Amino acid sequence: MSGGHVSTRSGIFAGEDPFALARSWLAQAQETEPNDPNAIALSTVDADGLPNVRMVLLKDILDDAFVFYTNYGSVKAQEIDAAGKAAFVLHWKSLRRQIRVRGVTARVEGEEADTYFASRSLKSRLGAWASRQSRPLGARSDLMAEVARQTMRHGTNPPRPPFWGGYRITPLEIEFWADGDFRLHDRFRWHRTTLSDAWSVTRLSP
């Protein structure tokens, strides 16, 4: 790892592994945020380059990537598959901190996705089967009727739908931001040009 101002990183920014640092910040947020400390604002772009953003739940911070799950028929999934890239921000008002991530994407399927799906509540698993995510819906009663139909079909142990799984975002850039007095915030950007490169860390002006 190389980069300017690395020696000035101390306190909440200290460490040589951005994924470990992100896990540390998230663990602190789990003690202070009133709900959903793992909520991320996920950004994608459509075929015309028009951005889209929505809140989803981050489900894992691996040693090299960030993971969330969704319906592969959703708009977000279609845009991710087309672009192969995505960005998100984690923001915690209680800590006055945020983490910004930009990177390349890959699907999470097979045993890894099956294991996570099985850990969800039964109603959530049945809901995944019932929802045609992002598509027009005539009435909520139609959705609930489909939930009932899927409940009759799959019972108490529904398998992971073939149209449902995860995405791994492997970052090329991660920025750690903390609020400062008089809007003089602290910002450190971890950056690499390719996934095989070492990280370069730079302190940014607020």
Side-chain angles (χ1 to χ4, degrees), residues 4-91:
H5 303 285
V6 175
S7 62
T8 66
R9 290 188 298 112
S10 60
I12 64 171
F13 293 98
E16 301 303 315
D17 180 350
F19 301 99
L21 183 56
R23 284 192 291 268
S24 174
W25 282 27
L26 177 57
Q28 292 175 59
Q30 289 170 337
E31 300 296 323
T32 60
E33 286 292 293
N35 52 60
D36 293 337
N38 61 327
I40 62 175
L42 176 71
S43 178
T44 58
V45 295
D46 67 15
D48 296 321
L50 187 64
N52 248 328
V53 65
R54 77 288 286 163
M55 303 302 297
V56 302
L57 295 179
L58 183 68
K59 288 303 180 180
D60 205 358
I61 302 177
L62 306 176
D63 290 338
D64 62 350
F66 300 84
V67 178
F68 72 94
Y69 290 85
T70 190
N71 186 312
Y72 288 144
S74 65
V75 169
K76 75 174 84 64
Q78 293 172 21
E79 292 179 351
I80 288 172
D81 287 340
K85 302 171 185 175
F88 71 81
V89 61
L90 272 162
H91 175 244

Side-chain angles (χ1 to χ4, degrees), residues 70-206:
T70 190
N71 186 312
Y72 288 144
S74 65
V75 169
K76 75 174 84 64
Q78 293 172 21
E79 292 179 351
I80 288 172
D81 287 340
K85 302 171 185 175
F88 71 81
V89 61
L90 272 162
H91 175 244
W92 301 294
K93 295 185 73 173
S94 62
L95 296 179
R96 297 183 179 272
R97 299 182 205 170
Q98 63 181 342
I99 301 174
R100 297 174 58 238
V101 173
R102 303 169 70 208
V104 297
T105 58
R107 285 192 176 190
V108 176
E109 299 182 295
E111 184 177 350
E112 185 176 351
D114 290 343
T115 298
Y116 171 69
F117 187 78
S119 74
R120 305 177 87 211
S121 71
L122 175 59
K123 289 184 178 180
S124 293
R125 283 178 282 159
L126 292 169
W129 275 100
S131 175
R132 301 172 70 244
Q133 196 172 113
S134 301
R135 300 178 188 177
L137 177 65
R140 184 170 180 81
S141 59
D142 297 335
L143 175 61
M144 300 315 295
E146 183 61 18
V147 171
R149 191 177 78 83
Q150 294 296 338
T151 300
M152 291 292 294
R153 177 185 177 190
H154 293 292
T156 60
N157 190 30
R160 178 174 63 89
F163 52 81
W164 193 97
Y167 282 98
R168 179 182 291 105
I169 301 177
T170 305
L172 293 169
E173 183 177 309
I174 308 175
E175 181 186 320
F176 294 88
W177 179 103
D179 181 69
D181 292 338
F182 312 110
R183 304 192 67 80
L184 299 178
H185 313 305
D186 288 308
R187 300 171 62 187
F188 287 92
R189 180 180 63 197
W190 297 63
H191 177 267
R192 56 188 176 180
T193 303
T194 71
L195 298 182
S196 61
D197 290 340
W199 289 106
S200 173
V201 186
T202 305
R203 185 172 190 133
L204 303 178
S205 297

